[in-house]
């Protein structure tokens, strides 16, 4: 049912809503799992089609295991496989047709700007290149939740300038 809602066409325009994808790796390593087991939590944001209520709606898409390969190329391939396997059939062609507006994640998966503070696997950037190889402009965003959380955390430190 979720795929049906996400893939509905916008009334009056007859096209599918543009879509953004966010993902983040979550480690579950403890005594029951391999020490480096990580799941890639994936969500999609689309314009809600509720009559008279234009809202952005966020949907949980998938949570595949990254396995032992945590490099950016492997993570991007993992996310693309999960999107293609979703009931909504979010493959390269369908994402381009509906317009994938942004791919977002934290600094571990989305390369930051000039003032980035740590090395990134750049999985978001690599996924964008898999979907739109001919576009040089970045559609990747170090999404706002992590940026605002980091700013809030730093504002609580008395030694922060």
């Amino acid at each position: 049912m979720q795929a049906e809602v996400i893939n509905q066409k916008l009334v009056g325009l007859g096209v599918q809503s543009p879509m953004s994808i966010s993902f983040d790796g979550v480690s579950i390593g403890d005594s029951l799992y391999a020490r480096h087991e990580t799941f890639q939590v994936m969500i999609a944001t689309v314009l809600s089609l509720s009559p008279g209520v234009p809202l952005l709606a966020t949907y949980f898409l998938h949570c595949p295991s990254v396995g032992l390969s945590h490099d950016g190329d492997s993570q991007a391939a993992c996310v693309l496989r999960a999107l293609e396997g979703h009931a909504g059939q979010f493959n390269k062609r369908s994402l381009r047709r509906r317009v994938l507006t942004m791919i977002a994640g934290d600094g571990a998966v989305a390369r930051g700007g000039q003032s980035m503070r740590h090395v990134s696997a750049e999985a978001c950037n690599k996924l964008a290149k898999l979907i739109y190889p001919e576009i040089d402009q970045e559609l990747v965003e170090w999404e706002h939740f992590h940026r605002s959380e980091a700013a809030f955390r730093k504002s609580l430190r008395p030694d922060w300038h």
Side-chain angles (χ1 to χ4, degrees), residues 124-144:
C124 291
N125 309 75
K126 293 174 182 198
L127 179 61
K129 277 295 184 194
L130 287 173
I131 297 169
Y132 293 108
E134 72 284 354
I135 295 180
D136 290 330
Q137 184 180 0
E138 291 287 332
L139 62 124
V140 173
E141 174 78 19
W142 180 30
E143 47 89 8
H144 296 285

PDB file of all heavy atoms in Angstrom, residues 124-144:
ATOM      1  N   CYS A 124      26.151   8.940  -0.568  1.00  0.00           N
ATOM      2  CA  CYS A 124      25.079   9.735  -1.177  1.00  0.00           C
ATOM      3  C   CYS A 124      25.544  10.305  -2.519  1.00  0.00           C
ATOM      4  O   CYS A 124      24.808  10.247  -3.510  1.00  0.00           O
ATOM      5  CB  CYS A 124      24.676  10.884  -0.261  1.00  0.00           C
ATOM      6  SG  CYS A 124      23.823  10.401   1.251  1.00  0.00           S
ATOM      7  N   ASN A 125      26.748  10.837  -2.534  1.00  0.00           N
ATOM      8  CA  ASN A 125      27.299  11.419  -3.756  1.00  0.00           C
ATOM      9  C   ASN A 125      27.452  10.356  -4.846  1.00  0.00           C
ATOM     10  O   ASN A 125      27.172  10.604  -6.019  1.00  0.00           O
ATOM     11  CB  ASN A 125      28.646  12.070  -3.464  1.00  0.00           C
ATOM     12  CG  ASN A 125      28.581  13.018  -2.287  1.00  0.00           C
ATOM     13  OD1 ASN A 125      28.532  12.557  -1.143  1.00  0.00           O
ATOM     14  ND2 ASN A 125      28.566  14.307  -2.527  1.00  0.00           N
ATOM     15  N   LYS A 126      27.871   9.170  -4.453  1.00  0.00           N
ATOM     16  CA  LYS A 126      28.064   8.087  -5.417  1.00  0.00           C
ATOM     17  C   LYS A 126      26.727   7.544  -5.921  1.00  0.00           C
ATOM     18  O   LYS A 126      26.601   7.189  -7.095  1.00  0.00           O
ATOM     19  CB  LYS A 126      28.931   6.992  -4.800  1.00  0.00           C
ATOM     20  CG  LYS A 126      30.345   7.514  -4.582  1.00  0.00           C
ATOM     21  CD  LYS A 126      31.242   6.571  -3.867  1.00  0.00           C
ATOM     22  CE  LYS A 126      32.590   7.264  -3.696  1.00  0.00           C
ATOM     23  NZ  LYS A 126      33.665   6.388  -3.404  1.00  0.00           N
ATOM     24  N   LEU A 127      25.711   7.506  -5.051  1.00  0.00           N
ATOM     25  CA  LEU A 127      24.370   7.098  -5.482  1.00  0.00           C
ATOM     26  C   LEU A 127      23.821   8.110  -6.481  1.00  0.00           C
ATOM     27  O   LEU A 127      23.225   7.732  -7.497  1.00  0.00           O
ATOM     28  CB  LEU A 127      23.440   6.953  -4.274  1.00  0.00           C
ATOM     29  CG  LEU A 127      22.001   6.564  -4.585  1.00  0.00           C
ATOM     30  CD1 LEU A 127      21.932   5.205  -5.288  1.00  0.00           C
ATOM     31  CD2 LEU A 127      21.168   6.550  -3.305  1.00  0.00           C
ATOM     32  N   ALA A 128      24.030   9.396  -6.219  1.00  0.00           N
ATOM     33  CA  ALA A 128      23.573  10.439  -7.145  1.00  0.00           C
ATOM     34  C   ALA A 128      24.211  10.246  -8.516  1.00  0.00           C
ATOM     35  O   ALA A 128      23.542  10.380  -9.545  1.00  0.00           O
ATOM     36  CB  ALA A 128      23.903  11.817  -6.585  1.00  0.00           C
ATOM     37  N   LYS A 129      25.496   9.905  -8.555  1.00  0.00           N
ATOM     38  CA  LYS A 129      26.188   9.683  -9.828  1.00  0.00           C
ATOM     39  C   LYS A 129      25.678   8.435 -10.552  1.00  0.00           C
ATOM     40  O   LYS A 129      25.661   8.388 -11.782  1.00  0.00           O
ATOM     41  CB  LYS A 129      27.704   9.580  -9.616  1.00  0.00           C
ATOM     42  CG  LYS A 129      28.385  10.909  -9.536  1.00  0.00           C
ATOM     43  CD  LYS A 129      28.260  11.628 -10.860  1.00  0.00           C
ATOM     44  CE  LYS A 129      29.024  12.931 -10.834  1.00  0.00           C
ATOM     45  NZ  LYS A 129      28.648  13.788 -11.957  1.00  0.00           N
ATOM     46  N   LEU A 130      25.251   7.408  -9.777  1.00  0.00           N
ATOM     47  CA  LEU A 130      24.686   6.213 -10.404  1.00  0.00           C
ATOM     48  C   LEU A 130      23.355   6.539 -11.084  1.00  0.00           C
ATOM     49  O   LEU A 130      23.041   5.993 -12.146  1.00  0.00           O
ATOM     50  CB  LEU A 130      24.457   5.117  -9.361  1.00  0.00           C
ATOM     51  CG  LEU A 130      25.691   4.411  -8.816  1.00  0.00           C
ATOM     52  CD1 LEU A 130      25.309   3.471  -7.670  1.00  0.00           C
ATOM     53  CD2 LEU A 130      26.401   3.636  -9.912  1.00  0.00           C
ATOM     54  N   ILE A 131      22.575   7.421 -10.474  1.00  0.00           N
ATOM     55  CA  ILE A 131      21.247   7.748 -11.008  1.00  0.00           C
ATOM     56  C   ILE A 131      21.326   8.821 -12.079  1.00  0.00           C
ATOM     57  O   ILE A 131      20.650   8.753 -13.098  1.00  0.00           O
ATOM     58  CB  ILE A 131      20.304   8.157  -9.858  1.00  0.00           C
ATOM     59  CG1 ILE A 131      20.125   6.964  -8.914  1.00  0.00           C
ATOM     60  CG2 ILE A 131      18.960   8.626 -10.395  1.00  0.00           C
ATOM     61  CD1 ILE A 131      19.449   7.284  -7.603  1.00  0.00           C
ATOM     62  N   TYR A 132      22.146   9.844 -11.848  1.00  0.00           N
ATOM     63  CA  TYR A 132      22.305  10.958 -12.790  1.00  0.00           C
ATOM     64  C   TYR A 132      23.783  11.105 -13.169  1.00  0.00           C
ATOM     65  O   TYR A 132      24.450  12.041 -12.742  1.00  0.00           O
ATOM     66  CB  TYR A 132      21.825  12.274 -12.161  1.00  0.00           C
ATOM     67  CG  TYR A 132      20.346  12.358 -11.891  1.00  0.00           C
ATOM     68  CD1 TYR A 132      19.850  12.291 -10.592  1.00  0.00           C
ATOM     69  CD2 TYR A 132      19.448  12.534 -12.932  1.00  0.00           C
ATOM     70  CE1 TYR A 132      18.500  12.397 -10.330  1.00  0.00           C
ATOM     71  CE2 TYR A 132      18.089  12.640 -12.691  1.00  0.00           C
ATOM     72  CZ  TYR A 132      17.622  12.575 -11.383  1.00  0.00           C
ATOM     73  OH  TYR A 132      16.276  12.679 -11.132  1.00  0.00           O
ATOM     74  N   PRO A 133      24.334  10.202 -13.981  1.00  0.00           N
ATOM     75  CA  PRO A 133      25.771  10.269 -14.293  1.00  0.00           C
ATOM     76  C   PRO A 133      26.184  11.504 -15.079  1.00  0.00           C
ATOM     77  O   PRO A 133      27.335  11.921 -15.013  1.00  0.00           O
ATOM     78  CB  PRO A 133      26.026   8.992 -15.103  1.00  0.00           C
ATOM     79  CG  PRO A 133      24.703   8.586 -15.620  1.00  0.00           C
ATOM     80  CD  PRO A 133      23.680   9.083 -14.643  1.00  0.00           C
ATOM     81  N   GLU A 134      25.261  12.108 -15.802  1.00  0.00           N
ATOM     82  CA  GLU A 134      25.617  13.244 -16.655  1.00  0.00           C
ATOM     83  C   GLU A 134      25.540  14.596 -15.949  1.00  0.00           C
ATOM     84  O   GLU A 134      25.940  15.612 -16.501  1.00  0.00           O
ATOM     85  CB  GLU A 134      24.720  13.264 -17.906  1.00  0.00           C
ATOM     86  CG  GLU A 134      23.280  13.679 -17.644  1.00  0.00           C
ATOM     87  CD  GLU A 134      22.416  12.596 -16.991  1.00  0.00           C
ATOM     88  OE1 GLU A 134      22.864  11.459 -16.820  1.00  0.00           O
ATOM     89  OE2 GLU A 134      21.275  12.908 -16.639  1.00  0.00           O
ATOM     90  N   ILE A 135      25.050  14.629 -14.733  1.00  0.00           N
ATOM     91  CA  ILE A 135      24.879  15.899 -14.029  1.00  0.00           C
ATOM     92  C   ILE A 135      26.063  16.155 -13.110  1.00  0.00           C
ATOM     93  O   ILE A 135      26.420  15.330 -12.282  1.00  0.00           O
ATOM     94  CB  ILE A 135      23.560  15.894 -13.214  1.00  0.00           C
ATOM     95  CG1 ILE A 135      22.373  15.814 -14.167  1.00  0.00           C
ATOM     96  CG2 ILE A 135      23.461  17.128 -12.329  1.00  0.00           C
ATOM     97  CD1 ILE A 135      21.033  15.792 -13.483  1.00  0.00           C
ATOM     98  N   ASP A 136      26.647  17.336 -13.243  1.00  0.00           N
ATOM     99  CA  ASP A 136      27.776  17.714 -12.400  1.00  0.00           C
ATOM    100  C   ASP A 136      27.323  18.383 -11.108  1.00  0.00           C
ATOM    101  O   ASP A 136      28.025  18.367 -10.118  1.00  0.00           O
ATOM    102  CB  ASP A 136      28.719  18.661 -13.151  1.00  0.00           C
ATOM    103  CG  ASP A 136      29.466  17.949 -14.263  1.00  0.00           C
ATOM    104  OD1 ASP A 136      29.716  16.735 -14.129  1.00  0.00           O
ATOM    105  OD2 ASP A 136      29.774  18.595 -15.266  1.00  0.00           O
ATOM    106  N   GLN A 137      26.149  18.989 -11.130  1.00  0.00           N
ATOM    107  CA  GLN A 137      25.651  19.679  -9.945  1.00  0.00           C
ATOM    108  C   GLN A 137      25.249  18.673  -8.878  1.00  0.00           C
ATOM    109  O   GLN A 137      24.614  17.664  -9.170  1.00  0.00           O
ATOM    110  CB  GLN A 137      24.452  20.540 -10.319  1.00  0.00           C
ATOM    111  CG  GLN A 137      23.921  21.360  -9.174  1.00  0.00           C
ATOM    112  CD  GLN A 137      22.737  22.204  -9.598  1.00  0.00           C
ATOM    113  OE1 GLN A 137      22.316  22.171 -10.733  1.00  0.00           O
ATOM    114  NE2 GLN A 137      22.191  22.943  -8.657  1.00  0.00           N
ATOM    115  N   GLU A 138      25.628  18.943  -7.645  1.00  0.00           N
ATOM    116  CA  GLU A 138      25.311  18.034  -6.538  1.00  0.00           C
ATOM    117  C   GLU A 138      23.851  18.130  -6.141  1.00  0.00           C
ATOM    118  O   GLU A 138      23.308  19.228  -6.026  1.00  0.00           O
ATOM    119  CB  GLU A 138      26.173  18.374  -5.320  1.00  0.00           C
ATOM    120  CG  GLU A 138      27.628  18.049  -5.495  1.00  0.00           C
ATOM    121  CD  GLU A 138      27.921  16.556  -5.457  1.00  0.00           C
ATOM    122  OE1 GLU A 138      27.188  15.801  -4.810  1.00  0.00           O
ATOM    123  OE2 GLU A 138      28.895  16.159  -6.093  1.00  0.00           O
ATOM    124  N   LEU A 139      23.189  17.020  -5.954  1.00  0.00           N
ATOM    125  CA  LEU A 139      21.863  16.994  -5.380  1.00  0.00           C
ATOM    126  C   LEU A 139      21.916  16.286  -4.031  1.00  0.00           C
ATOM    127  O   LEU A 139      20.947  15.720  -3.568  1.00  0.00           O
ATOM    128  CB  LEU A 139      20.854  16.326  -6.329  1.00  0.00           C
ATOM    129  CG  LEU A 139      21.078  14.864  -6.690  1.00  0.00           C
ATOM    130  CD1 LEU A 139      19.837  14.064  -6.332  1.00  0.00           C
ATOM    131  CD2 LEU A 139      21.328  14.747  -8.163  1.00  0.00           C
ATOM    132  N   VAL A 140      23.083  16.367  -3.403  1.00  0.00           N
ATOM    133  CA  VAL A 140      23.316  15.709  -2.123  1.00  0.00           C
ATOM    134  C   VAL A 140      23.298  16.750  -1.019  1.00  0.00           C
ATOM    135  O   VAL A 140      23.805  17.856  -1.185  1.00  0.00           O
ATOM    136  CB  VAL A 140      24.674  14.966  -2.134  1.00  0.00           C
ATOM    137  CG1 VAL A 140      25.012  14.415  -0.767  1.00  0.00           C
ATOM    138  CG2 VAL A 140      24.643  13.858  -3.170  1.00  0.00           C
ATOM    139  N   GLU A 141      22.704  16.379   0.106  1.00  0.00           N
ATOM    140  CA  GLU A 141      22.589  17.297   1.233  1.00  0.00           C
ATOM    141  C   GLU A 141      22.973  16.583   2.514  1.00  0.00           C
ATOM    142  O   GLU A 141      22.516  15.467   2.772  1.00  0.00           O
ATOM    143  CB  GLU A 141      21.133  17.787   1.329  1.00  0.00           C
ATOM    144  CG  GLU A 141      20.819  18.635   2.517  1.00  0.00           C
ATOM    145  CD  GLU A 141      21.298  20.076   2.371  1.00  0.00           C
ATOM    146  OE1 GLU A 141      21.544  20.510   1.240  1.00  0.00           O
ATOM    147  OE2 GLU A 141      21.418  20.753   3.396  1.00  0.00           O
ATOM    148  N   TRP A 142      23.827  17.221   3.304  1.00  0.00           N
ATOM    149  CA  TRP A 142      24.076  16.736   4.661  1.00  0.00           C
ATOM    150  C   TRP A 142      22.850  17.175   5.421  1.00  0.00           C
ATOM    151  O   TRP A 142      22.713  18.333   5.794  1.00  0.00           O
ATOM    152  CB  TRP A 142      25.360  17.326   5.223  1.00  0.00           C
ATOM    153  CG  TRP A 142      25.674  16.877   6.613  1.00  0.00           C
ATOM    154  CD1 TRP A 142      25.352  15.687   7.184  1.00  0.00           C
ATOM    155  CD2 TRP A 142      26.362  17.608   7.617  1.00  0.00           C
ATOM    156  NE1 TRP A 142      25.800  15.626   8.477  1.00  0.00           N
ATOM    157  CE2 TRP A 142      26.425  16.807   8.766  1.00  0.00           C
ATOM    158  CE3 TRP A 142      26.922  18.875   7.662  1.00  0.00           C
ATOM    159  CZ2 TRP A 142      27.036  17.228   9.942  1.00  0.00           C
ATOM    160  CZ3 TRP A 142      27.534  19.284   8.826  1.00  0.00           C
ATOM    161  CH2 TRP A 142      27.593  18.467   9.944  1.00  0.00           C
ATOM    162  N   GLU A 143      21.920  16.265   5.584  1.00  0.00           N
ATOM    163  CA  GLU A 143      20.571  16.637   5.968  1.00  0.00           C
ATOM    164  C   GLU A 143      20.475  17.379   7.289  1.00  0.00           C
ATOM    165  O   GLU A 143      21.309  17.290   8.145  1.00  0.00           O
ATOM    166  CB  GLU A 143      19.639  15.431   5.895  1.00  0.00           C
ATOM    167  CG  GLU A 143      20.154  14.192   6.533  1.00  0.00           C
ATOM    168  CD  GLU A 143      19.814  14.062   7.985  1.00  0.00           C
ATOM    169  OE1 GLU A 143      19.043  14.844   8.538  1.00  0.00           O
ATOM    170  OE2 GLU A 143      20.343  13.149   8.594  1.00  0.00           O
ATOM    171  N   HIS A 144      19.411  18.163   7.378  1.00  0.00           N
ATOM    172  CA  HIS A 144      19.249  19.158   8.438  1.00  0.00           C
ATOM    173  C   HIS A 144      19.165  18.575   9.841  1.00  0.00           C
ATOM    174  O   HIS A 144      19.594  19.221  10.782  1.00  0.00           O
ATOM    175  CB  HIS A 144      18.023  20.016   8.148  1.00  0.00           C
ATOM    176  CG  HIS A 144      18.173  20.807   6.893  1.00  0.00           C
ATOM    177  ND1 HIS A 144      18.980  21.921   6.821  1.00  0.00           N
ATOM    178  CD2 HIS A 144      17.669  20.631   5.656  1.00  0.00           C
ATOM    179  CE1 HIS A 144      18.938  22.404   5.599  1.00  0.00           C
ATOM    180  NE2 HIS A 144      18.167  21.641   4.872  1.00  0.00           N
TER     181      HIS A 144
END
